[in-house]
Amino acid sequence: MTIDSTTIAQAEPTFQRSHTVRLPRSPKVIGGAVIVAIFGLFAAIGRWVAPYSPDATDTKNWVQHVLVPGTGPGTEFPANYYPLPLGPSAAHWLGTTVFAQDVFSQLVTSTQATLFVGLLAAAIATGLSIFFGVTAGYIGGGTDEGLSLVANVFLAIPGLPLLIVLADYVPYAGSSVILVAVIIAVTAWAYSARVLRAQTLSLRNRDFVEAARVSGEGRLRIIVAEVLPNLIPIVAASFLYTTLYAIYAYVAISFLGLGGSPTSSPPGLWNWGEMLREGFANNAVRGGWWWWWAPPGVCVAALGTGLALLNFGLDEFINPRLRIAGFTGKAARKAGINSRTATVITPVMRKSAIPPTGAMPADAVLEIRGLTVDYGYGEDAVHAVSDCDLVLRRGKVLGLAGESGSGKTTLALAAVRLLRPPAVITAGAVRFRSPKGVVDMLDATQPQLRAVRWSEIAVVLQSSLNALNPVTSVGAQFDDLLRAHRPLLGRSGRADRAGELLKMVGINPDRLRSYPHELSGGMRQRAMIAMALALDPQVVILDEPTTALDVVTQREIIEELIGLRDRLGFAALFITHDLSLLVEIADEIAVMYAGRVMERAPAASLFHAPRLPYTHGLLHCFPPLHGRRAPMEGIPGSPPDLRDLPTGCAFHPRCRWALEQCRTQVPQLSLVDGSRREVACWLHDGGQTVPDELARRDPMLVAQ
Amino acid sequence: MSALLRRLLVYLLAAWVALTVSFLLPRVVPGNPVAGAVARASQSGNCNEQCVIAIETQLGFNVHQSLWDQYVNYWENLLHGNLGHSWSENAPVSNLILSYLPWTLALLGVATTTSFVAGSMIGTLVAWRRGSLFDWLIPVATFFQALPYFFLAIVLVLIFGQTGTMLKWFPSLFGYDIFGAEPGFNLPFVESVLAHGILPAVTVILASIAGFILAMRNQMITTLDDDFVLVAEAKGLPTRTVIWYAARNALLPVVSNFTIAISLVVAGQILVEIVFNYPGIGYHLYDALGKLDYSLVQGIFVVITLVVLAANLLADAVYVAIDPRARQAA
Ligand SMILES: Nc1ncnc2c1ncn2[C@@H]1O[C@H](COP(=O)(O)OP(=O)(O)O)[C@@H](O)[C@H]1O
Ligand code: SF4
Ligand SMILES: [Mg+2]
């Protein structure tokens, strides 16, 4: 049931079993912790530091009795007096009540019971929710159905009214803080149980839980050792939330007079709600005796704020997107980047001069020079793309290959300013030749970019499920697009055009009425391609458009793309980690490693006669889509950590042919075999014997 | 329809549990609560013989029937809309509640709708313009979220209420001018009702809006990172369309968590009504508790539960209407 989806469960949890639990040290969390700690201290020692007993009446400073105006001598009413409590003084820091009791002492004493009930209720409720939530989520099946039903039923019953009825009937419940806490817990556990269930459900299919299960560990052991540790942040969040709720609930029922008054028998404990009740019942508000009723209210609000702030911090910890938004906003401002809205425009903060550009090559539509992109700012920046040059020519397909994490997406999206914070472009130049003239992409304003986006440069992302708006129909999304860019086309004109586009990629126009979740992965990706071509763009950026699909669909879509390209003549930047796929569709291929372009050549040359050891490795990683299966050699080791790149050639720790100088000197991209291809590798600097694998005959050279 | 039917089943079950709990409590709780209640009642001095008898019957004391028969009886009465007799008002509980309910429903409806709509819009804006001046709203909203409803009510009465001591702008006692207006469909009465509704409504709105702002803001920030928002930007769609795409999606979890929100608002409003002596069911619940009018307390509990369950069902229907995936499952 989608209705049951919860906030927390929606965000992919990123914490892993080995992660140390470290809260973000934001001012919010620190402020919250300080507030809660102060109240905790008062709760612990308050009873002993209170200057008076909360029940003691101060006989030396007995309250005055004031004649009610309009009564007494000279009027027709008998004299009527009301007590006037004392305002704050040296003897009574927060004044007194109408019973001449010390408000400060009451307040300090009350902190203890209030906090005690809050924490105890939260502990009981959290225990219940862990039991129900984790059991339901882990065991699944009928148990899950049953327990979830119980939780949902409890969740639907409004808490406070139930609490009132419970507190009212259970004899002297109010006088026993433990009973009060139990009653509050009964009305409070269901929400957390639901959240924990969802989380457990997603955890139980993770690798490490699976592994434990396969290794024959018992159910209880797995739950305790594998599942629970991963739930700690959520358990902590729900504990805080429940504490907050329990304190409100206790204050509320005490305010209603159900919490057990200290003067009743058996006596209840002093708490903030009771103080508010007494003040309210004795006209403290109308009398303007703020020192009496305001402090307990402010305490509830302050402690509540403290807990809520802590919870806010935990939320950020649990939901990485919130955390990143918080962190990067601050870091960006520090670095001098001030984005006023969440509009996606990658900021440009050049740290070096704009490279000399000169005239754009006549056949180039998109020219990238020396592009350098960081994630993060200052010291912590990760250099995801460094000094990359690429030229996309009119009507051609440029392939961009490399292992996952090598910076392909970063490079392509940065060029069109579509990377989100914390990405920042720190060097380079990007020019786009539109029919209306050359646009400097890194200099363009938002309106200029908007004019180029989609009508000139369209983008197809890897996962089309997420690329389409899940709550509106495919047709509506075409409609929004066409309305924005083709204002002259009427409603029916837009519908016709959308149908035509779908037909073009082999989808029945009836599908315009479908919602994204009703289409198969392949169909969604086709719909995205149709959308990308809707405005006849000059350039289409295809970022692994088929990676998420099965091989057959992949095949069909590639063939369709080739057909469309031939027919419509757009230029494409085609990103993939699969070189064998690129060789079929690309005119030219660039290979990236650790954020740099390391080899660039005509597709056939690169595929059949690689010059770079890394390219050679890549070619032997993937079985070709069809044809002879070569033995897979792959590349030993794993992609480098961008924070800690090897010196010299970043590939040297994994390179079979690494030379001494590879460790210290960065190879530069330079021409080999004439003027058509470039490689950045010391093996090709002319002074080395090139291994046979990297010296195959270039088929393009033969063709010449 | 299966998803909605399942929810309906949950709510029916919830109603059954609530009603059964309220039946069983006085009867099975150890230590004879009835004796306790009667003792408390006579002790308090404002419970006469009539009241004691009423409590005894209501709580099944001195009723020589098996628990099961009492239970069957209880349901028969409920299904006939018979919630018992209020000794303090000397009237059928159901009639009394019917006269209290419009006040509560109107206040709850207006305040919750305003708060939800405005809160979601503000939350959207704060998320969209994150890093801007709007960020100060977050700690402020956190504080307001932590403020108990009734405390806020007291503060507002003090500052703006005519029974307060400062500005005396708005009436802050009762639901209408009980001395000047004749209840009925006449202009002075309607004006009076509206004027008396301002402060209670503002209280509930101010106290509940922060939760919606924060929930929507967090959802928006999460959603703004989704690919489809990036694609909407890449499509060069106007800013308002991009925000709309994200907001429509961010709204879904907010609506699905409405269950919790509505419970909290209802709880808060009960206390707000008490502070304002607002003649809704919350105030009368308080009144009945004080007068030990158990049949009225129980009746009000039943009705509040049903109101909340109905609100939940409404929220579920809205959810199904705005999420095509749920619609398909429904
Ligand atoms: N939002 C981000 N914050 C920090 N680092 C990121 C972010 N996105 C990507 N990176 C890092 O940048 C590098 C390049 O990523 P990407 O361009 O997505 O590679 P590819 O598309 O080749 O798989 C990766 O090492 C990745 O960890
Ligand atoms: S430069 Fe050296 S380490 Fe790098 S790919 Fe060439 S041979 Fe290998
Ligand atoms: Mg990528």
Side-chain angles (χ1 to χ4, degrees), chain A residues 246-262:
Chain A
I247 287 174
Y248 286 166
Y250 184 43
V251 168
I253 58 172
S254 303
F255 180 71
L256 288 177
L258 297 171
S261 150

Side-chain angles (χ1 to χ4, degrees), chain A residues 375 382 384 402-411 421-422 543-544 575 642:
Chain A
Y375 286 105
V382 173
E403 284 167 299
S404 155
S406 55
K408 308 179 294 291
T409 303
T410 306
L411 173 58
D543 188 0
E544 316 216 21
I575 299 171
L642 287 180

Side-chain angles (χ1 to χ4, degrees), chain B residues 5-323:
Chain B
L5 275 181
R6 280 181 68 153
R7 297 305 297 174
L8 188 63
L9 181 78
V10 167
Y11 297 142
L12 287 178
L13 250 162
W16 174 75
V17 168
L19 292 172
T20 304
V21 163
S22 103
F23 166 82
L24 280 180
L25 259 177
R27 291 173 175 84
V28 300
V29 162
N32 197 347
V34 182
V38 171
R40 255 192 295 170
S42 357
Q43 212 178 51
S44 75
N46 55 10
C47 186
N48 53 22
E49 201 176 327
Q50 196 189 358
C51 149
V52 172
I53 295 171
I55 294 174
E56 286 178 350
T57 340
Q58 180 71 24
L59 305 187
F61 190 61
N62 280 345
V63 176
H64 302 290
Q65 247 183 342
S66 72
L67 199 60
W68 175 251
D69 287 340
Q70 287 182 46
Y71 189 56
V72 171
N73 235 336
Y74 172 77
W75 271 103
E76 246 167 40
N77 283 331
L78 276 182
L79 293 178
H80 287 101
N82 179 1
L83 295 170
H85 191 85
S86 156
W87 73 265
S88 68
E89 302 282 329
N90 194 16
V93 169
S94 43
N95 291 2
L96 289 172
I97 291 178
L98 276 184
S99 70
Y100 308 152
L101 204 54
W103 296 97
T104 294
L105 289 185
L107 184 57
L108 187 69
V110 169
T112 320
T113 313
T114 313
S115 165
F116 178 77
V117 171
S120 307
M121 276 165 35
I122 296 171
T124 303
L125 195 70
V126 174
W128 182 257
R129 314 211 50 179
R130 70 177 171 220
S132 76
L133 278 178
F134 284 99
D135 279 359
W136 64 261
L137 261 167
I138 297 164
V140 172
T142 309
F143 177 78
F144 267 86
Q145 198 187 16
L147 213 55
Y149 282 60
F150 64 96
F151 184 68
L152 185 63
I154 293 175
V155 173
L156 289 184
V157 168
L158 185 75
I159 298 176
F160 299 106
Q162 281 163 7
T163 50
T165 53
M166 297 167 76
L167 299 173
K168 296 183 182 288
W169 283 354
F170 304 104
S172 48
L173 203 57
F174 310 125
Y176 61 96
D177 183 357
I178 55 170
F179 303 111
E182 186 62 33
F185 204 74
N186 57 66
L187 193 63
F189 177 70
V190 173
E191 274 177 357
S192 168
V193 166
L194 290 180
H196 281 74
I198 291 176
L199 272 189
V202 167
T203 308
V204 177
I205 291 170
L206 271 185
S208 59
I209 197 170
F212 290 119
I213 293 177
L214 292 176
M216 189 64 182
R217 177 229 175 228
N218 285 0
Q219 284 305 327
M220 264 303 272
I221 284 183
T222 310
T223 309
L224 282 173
D225 252 10
D226 278 346
D227 272 355
F228 72 84
V229 178
L230 181 68
V231 171
E233 292 268 10
K235 282 186 199 160
L237 297 180
T239 302
R240 60 171 191 283
T241 313
V242 176
I243 297 178
W244 176 238
Y245 273 29
R248 265 294 304 270
N249 282 275
L251 202 56
L252 298 179
V254 178
V255 172
S256 86
N257 278 338
F258 199 74
T259 313
I260 295 112
I262 194 74
S263 283
L264 295 178
V265 177
V266 166
Q269 193 181 312
I270 291 174
L271 297 160
V272 170
E273 286 183 7
I274 296 167
V275 173
F276 287 98
N277 282 31
Y278 196 79
I281 46 181
Y283 169 71
H284 286 102
L285 176 64
Y286 176 68
D287 199 39
L289 282 171
K291 290 177 179 152
L292 302 161
D293 191 339
Y294 283 85
S295 34
L296 193 51
V297 170
Q298 233 170 22
I300 290 179
F301 168 68
V302 166
V303 169
I304 293 180
T305 305
L306 293 183
V307 166
V308 168
L309 294 182
N312 276 331
L313 197 62
L314 194 70
D316 287 341
V318 169
Y319 188 94
V320 167
I322 60 177
D323 186 355

Side-chain angles (χ1 to χ4, degrees), chain A residues 527-569:
Chain A
M528 267 323 288
I529 291 169
M531 219 177 273
L533 301 176
L535 307 174
D536 288 317
Q538 302 262 322
V539 173
V540 181
I541 294 174
L542 298 140
D543 188 0
E544 316 216 21
T546 59
T547 307
L549 305 174
D550 64 272
V551 184
V552 177
T553 320
Q554 202 170 341
R555 187 74 259 143
E556 287 169 7
I557 289 187
I558 293 294
E559 255 145 38
E560 224 160 73
L561 270 173
I562 295 175
L564 287 167
R565 208 281 310 257
D566 291 347
R567 199 142 55 86
L568 303 173

Side-chain angles (χ1 to χ4, degrees), chain A residues 598 611-614 648-663 665-667 679-684 694:
Chain A
M598 300 275 285
R611 293 294 177 256
L612 184 72
Y614 176 61
C649 173
F651 187 58
H652 82 251
R654 303 169 72 190
C655 181
R656 278 163 68 182
W657 296 289
L659 308 163
E660 201 44 51
Q661 73 225 65
C662 299
R663 287 171 212 287
Q665 285 164 281
V666 182
V679 64
C681 173
W682 291 120
L683 285 173
H684 298 279
L694 305 178

